[in-house]
Every structure is written in structure tokens, then in C-alpha cells.
Amino acid sequence: MVRYGMVIDLKRCIGCDTCTLACKSANATQRGVLWNRVLKYETGKYPDAKLSFMPVTCMHCEEPACEQVCPSGATLKRADGIVSINSDKCIGCRYCMIACPYTARYYFDRVRSFYPQHETPFEKDYRNKHRPGSVQKCDFCLERVEQGLDPACVAACPTDARVFGDLDDPASRISLLIGSKKGFVLSPEMNTRPSVYYLPGD
Amino acid sequence: MSLIRRENTQKEWGGKIAAYLFLAGAGAGAYLVAFIAVLVRPGLSSLVVTAVLLSFFLLIAGTAFLVFDLGKKSLAFLAFSRPSRSWISRGTIIITAFLLLDFVYIVTGVWPAAGHDLASVPLLVLGSLTAAAALLVLTYTGMVLGAARPVEFWNPGFLVVLFLVSGISSGIAGTVLCLSVYGLFPGRETENTLEFLAACGAAALALEAAVLGLYLFSMSRRAPSSASVLIVTGGSLSRMFWGAVVASLLINLAFDCCVACSYSASALHLPVPAIAVSLLGLLSGFMLRYIIVAGGVAAPVNIGGRLVPAPRVTIS
């Protein structure tokens, strides 16, 4: 059985936010909701200060804290490793948001258009894609993956910083990268065993 | 090193969840006090009737706050779905069980046919079961926060004990308030009731103050939770903490000590000071939960050994 995961090469990430926008476009998330984000932070001190980038998304953990606390069973760990949300079952208690160590979840309380009193054609087309009153997050572009495509953020990345693939296949590109370039996960002390790995930056 | 945009404290849960935790705790606490009175001080029927009825309505009100906080209120019944893993599911079942037992206890022993022998074996068994459910409710209010691993400030061990004693003190304050509002009953029972409530209240408040101090001291010694302690004791929540929690708690404690020591028991025969102090007690109980909920800071994200504050994004 395949176990999907992702590797993000921090040396290659230039902080252009193409992944952020590709995600928004593919998933029609509303204003303020970013299933994929690129955090920017300073490292070093003047005159050697530097802006560093850290793309973050749902880590699709093997032991997802969000799934453990969900009272309704809306959050589901699939056999292929993807953590998905059944918005029909989500009651909007937001317990999962508090339990997630990576703050990867968003609460969609009501529809907000980008422009006041004006809905764009894109917003009109996708108005009913998400259910108000429920929590949402990255699902590795489930529909695309089921069609054999890479998630939108991976497909759009101009520097090939993201690699998507099967973590259980030792010959896959993602497994080879993690092994050869010392891939690491965020906050391993939380014991959630993320499926998103990072390759060290500078 | 700093993130360009970040917000430190969790924003997902706020006043409604604090109210839910407070009302559930105060209701369970009121019931426990009533049951203790049945066991150790028979004859305080006004206290028992008031506290048991109050516990039922506080739990109903608390549950309503939880439902109001949900994004999809019509699906609230799904909160029962996963008791094997989720503390919200466990809590929903525990509170439902308490409400059912409390209701049966009210109908069979307390009201409307007051005068039943609450010390009879069937009612003692029922009362004990309800008391066990009340203890579980109090435990749950601490565990539901403690299960959120990233927020170290929500230490389950401390919160269970703190919310347990705070629930009892809040339940006592609510009971005193009700007794005072509808008029203190004359005679010997009044003094016995007040002395009993003041003694229980003083013990619970003293314990609460000690646990609260120990909790904050312990949390201030660890990196992620020390940020929460700073916010609570010296930051944006400090006025609420020192004014509404600490000052109210100490005033309540001093008052209960005075009454328990019979220095000024007669003062409580006047409803105004009793109402004022019990209102302060309720305020202290609610604000305690509010600052703990609102002061929760998530552990920083560990990026290969470099700690970066967990990024919080609010939608506007």
C-alpha cells in the first residue's frame, strides 16, 4: 500500500509563494484561508542577517493529534496516509485546531469574498465547495492525487523544491532524498510522526 | 529571530468554552456539596434542594454554551461518536450521564416531594452514583484542555485538581447566591447551613489558592508555558487575573473564614453581603477558566533544533 508524503527542500525554496497561490486556486479557499503558507523569518544578525523561508502545510502525520481529539470522527487517517476531513461530519468544535502542533487547520465560519459586496466569478463558481461551520486543511489535493497527478503546490513550484511520492517505496525519489540529504520533520518531540519532510537549508 | 507575522495565544476557544467549563464545574461542584451535606450534616434540606436543583440547571446552561460554540449546532449529537479517543466525546457522555442521574435524584428524592429520606439506601446509592458522575464531570473539564498536547500551559494534572476545587468553590458560591436571593430561611437551619457552606468554601478556596499558586509557579519554569504565565500574570490578561481571580478569591476566602469561625455569622443573615461575596466567587471561577483558556500558548515549532513560535493566523 502506498503511503503518501512530501519533501520540501529548504535550499531550493525562494519564498515566492507560488505554492500558496496554486493551493488557493486549486482548492478555492476563501479570503484569509491558506492551506499552504510560506513563513518568513530572520536568521543571523546584522550584517549577516538573512530572510529564511519555511513552507508549512498539513503534515499528514502518522499519529495525527487532530484525529485523536476529533469527537465526531470527521478527521480521518486514510490507508494511503492522507489525513482528510469529512466536512459533512465536522461539527466545528475546533478541538483539532488546538491539538495540531503545526497550526495547519483553519476554521471556515462564513463566506467572505475578497472584495466587499462583490463576488468574483471564481468565488461564485466555488461558493459551495466548502461548508461553513467546519474546519478545513490541506488534503494533498486528494482529487488530483486520485487522478495520478501531483498536488497543486508541487506541480507549481518553480524551483522544484517540493517532491511528492510514496514514503514506503525505498526506491522512490522522495525516499532517496530523505535518506541521502538528511531529511527531518518538524517538532518530532510531539510524536505525531509527520509525513512531510524537510531537507536542511543553509 | 522572529516571525514576521504571528499571534501567540490560541484564538480557537474563548469565552463560550470558558463558560461551558465553568458552568459544568460549578454545577458538578454544587451537587457534590449537597451530597456531602446529606452524608455529614443531615437536616440541611434547603441547602440540598437548592444545590441539587442548581447543579442540574448549571449543567444544562453549560451544555448550551458548548452547543452555541459549535460551527454546526444541528450536528451536536455527533459529539458522542468517539469516546474511545476524544475527550469532548467522553465529556459529552459524562455530562449526559450526570444530567440523567441528577434528574432521577431530583425527581425521586429532592423535588417536588421534599421530605424524602435522603439517607435511605436506594437514595444513597443513587446519590453516590450521581456524585461519581459529578467527579467525572470535574475531572473532564481539566482533561479536555490537557489533551491538547501543543499547549503545555494546559497541564492536565494541575488542571484536573484546580478545576475540581474551583468547581466546588463555585458551586458553593452559586448555592449561597440562590439561598440569599430567595431569602435566607430563619432559625437554626440557617446558621447550620451557613457554617457548613462557609467551612466547605474556606477549605475549597484555600486549596484552590494553593493549587493555583503551585500551578503557575510550576508552569513558569518551562519555556513554552512560561509565556502563558507571563501573559496571565503580567500581560494582557493580568488585570483579569489579579482583579477578578486573585482578589475575588481572597475576599471570598476571608469572608468564608470569618463565617466558619463564627466571628460574623450574623452578617450573612443579611443577604446583601452574601450576594456580593458569592457573585465575586462566581466571577472568580469563570475568570479563572477564561484566563487559562485564553492564555494558552502553543509550543513553538521545532525546525531542526531551531524553535520558531507556532504561527497563528486569524481571518478578518
Side-chain angles (χ1 to χ4, degrees):
Chain A
M1 170 57 90
V2 64
R3 183 166 65 91
Y4 289 118
M6 189 182 285
V7 160
I8 302 174
D9 189 340
L10 297 179
K11 266 188 187 156
R12 285 176 170 266
C13 178
I14 55 172
C16 64
D17 270 311
T18 302
C19 50
T20 309
L21 293 176
C23 173
K24 284 197 76 65
S25 173
N27 295 293
T29 55
Q30 65 149 359
R31 192 184 81 196
V33 174
L34 301 167
W35 290 1
N36 186 93
R37 289 175 285 164
V38 181
L39 306 180
K40 286 106 180 164
Y41 58 96
E42 294 168 22
T43 50
K45 286 186 179 176
Y46 176 84
D48 298 316
K50 186 185 166 196
L51 195 59
S52 295
F53 309 109
M54 169 59 63
V56 287
T57 180
C58 172
M59 299 289 150
H60 296 276
C61 306
E62 283 191 61
E63 303 283 342
C66 53
E67 189 266 346
Q68 288 170 23
V69 301
C70 177
S72 66
T75 295
L76 185 70
K77 176 75 180 169
R78 290 162 44 111
D80 59 10
I82 296 176
V83 177
S84 66
I85 300 175
N86 180 349
S87 55
D88 289 335
K89 288 178 79 176
C90 178
I91 59 175
C93 68
R94 308 181 300 288
Y95 202 9
C96 54
M97 295 176 71
I98 291 171
C100 173
Y102 311 103
T103 59
R105 293 180 159 234
Y106 282 82
Y107 179 58
F108 175 42
D109 59 343
R110 61 186 168 85
V111 175
R112 291 177 172 88
S113 57
F114 276 86
Y115 303 101
Q117 297 160 348
H118 171 69
E119 221 176 6
T120 64
F122 182 77
E123 285 171 335
K124 270 184 194 160
D125 288 347
Y126 289 96
R127 185 192 298 153
N128 298 321
K129 185 175 169 71
H130 303 293
R131 287 177 180 266
S134 57
V135 173
Q136 45 179 239
K137 68 165 192 73
C138 157
D139 59 1
F140 272 164
C141 289
L142 204 48
E143 288 175 17
R144 289 175 59 94
V145 170
E146 284 173 347
Q147 293 168 24
L149 299 169
D150 277 341
C153 57
V154 176
C157 180
T159 62
D160 200 22
R162 290 172 180 251
V163 178
F164 181 74
D166 182 4
L167 289 168
D168 277 351
D169 177 3
S172 67
R173 189 179 166 210
I174 181 173
S175 296
L176 293 173
L177 281 172
I178 292 167
S180 63
K181 295 195 175 179
K182 296 181 180 170
F184 66 93
V185 296
L186 300 186
S187 300
E189 68 278 6
M190 291 288 169
N191 299 317
T192 54
R193 299 169 64 204
S195 298
V196 174
Y197 286 76
Y198 291 84
L199 303 183
D202 293 331
Chain B
M1 180 181 61
S2 63
L3 277 178
I4 286 174
R5 278 185 289 179
R6 69 164 188 261
E7 294 199 356
N8 280 335
T9 53
Q10 65 85 20
K11 299 286 185 289
E12 286 79 29
W13 283 357
K16 281 186 230 169
I17 290 295
Y20 161 60
L21 298 176
F22 164 68
L23 292 167
Y31 177 83
L32 280 180
V33 170
F35 191 64
I36 292 168
V38 168
L39 294 179
V40 302
R41 295 286 287 270
L44 304 182
S45 58
S46 298
L47 160 66
V48 173
V49 170
T50 304
V52 171
L53 286 174
L54 179 68
S55 70
F56 186 77
F57 289 112
L58 286 179
L59 260 293
I60 293 281
T63 306
F65 271 99
L66 174 65
V67 174
F68 287 148
D69 191 60
L70 295 179
K72 291 189 210 150
K73 294 153 189 67
S74 60
L75 296 182
F77 66 91
L78 287 176
F80 289 96
S81 302
R82 295 183 77 236
S84 60
R85 305 204 76 180
S86 172
W87 269 102
I88 284 190
S89 284
R90 288 172 195 160
T92 310
I93 291 168
I94 289 167
I95 287 175
T96 306
F98 175 80
L99 281 170
L100 288 173
L101 288 167
D102 200 21
F103 181 75
V104 175
Y105 192 66
I106 289 168
V107 170
T108 56
V110 176
W111 187 83
H116 282 171
D117 183 11
L118 294 174
S120 65
V121 174
L123 283 178
L124 272 182
V125 170
L126 179 59
S128 302
L129 287 173
T130 315
L135 276 173
L136 286 175
V137 169
L138 287 164
T139 305
Y140 155 69
T141 58
M143 286 305 299
V144 71
L145 294 183
R149 272 184 277 174
V151 186
E152 283 196 24
F153 186 53
W154 294 348
N155 181 291
F158 276 110
L159 288 188
V160 165
V161 179
L162 183 61
F163 285 178
L164 191 142
V165 286
S166 173
I168 291 172
S169 68
S170 300
I172 291 171
T175 306
V176 170
L177 181 66
C178 290
L179 287 170
S180 306
V181 164
Y182 68 68
L184 283 170
F185 29 87
R188 186 71 195 152
E189 189 186 335
T190 306
E191 285 182 17
N192 288 342
T193 300
L194 292 175
E195 282 170 19
F196 174 76
L197 286 175
C200 290
L205 288 165
L207 197 55
E208 185 180 340
V211 175
L212 179 60
L214 195 61
Y215 166 59
L216 292 177
F217 175 72
S218 174
M219 292 297 108
S220 69
R221 296 170 71 85
R222 303 180 203 177
S225 53
S226 63
S228 293
V229 176
L230 277 176
I231 289 169
V232 166
T233 58
S236 56
L237 297 170
S238 60
R239 283 184 189 172
M240 294 181 201
F241 175 69
W242 293 111
V245 178
V246 176
S248 300
L249 194 153
L250 292 178
I251 291 170
N252 230 319
L253 178 60
F255 198 79
D256 280 351
C257 285
C258 288
V259 176
C261 296
S262 300
Y263 290 134
S264 58
S266 57
L268 266 185
H269 290 251
L270 298 169
V272 173
I275 288 171
V277 171
S278 51
L279 280 174
L280 276 180
L282 292 172
L283 176 72
S284 169
F286 169 71
M287 292 310 295
L288 173 70
R289 284 153 184 86
Y290 180 76
I291 60 147
I292 287 174
V293 168
V297 174
V301 177
N302 178 351
I303 306 174
R306 181 186 297 156
L307 299 179
V308 174
R312 295 273 163 194
V313 178
T314 47
I315 304 168
S316 57

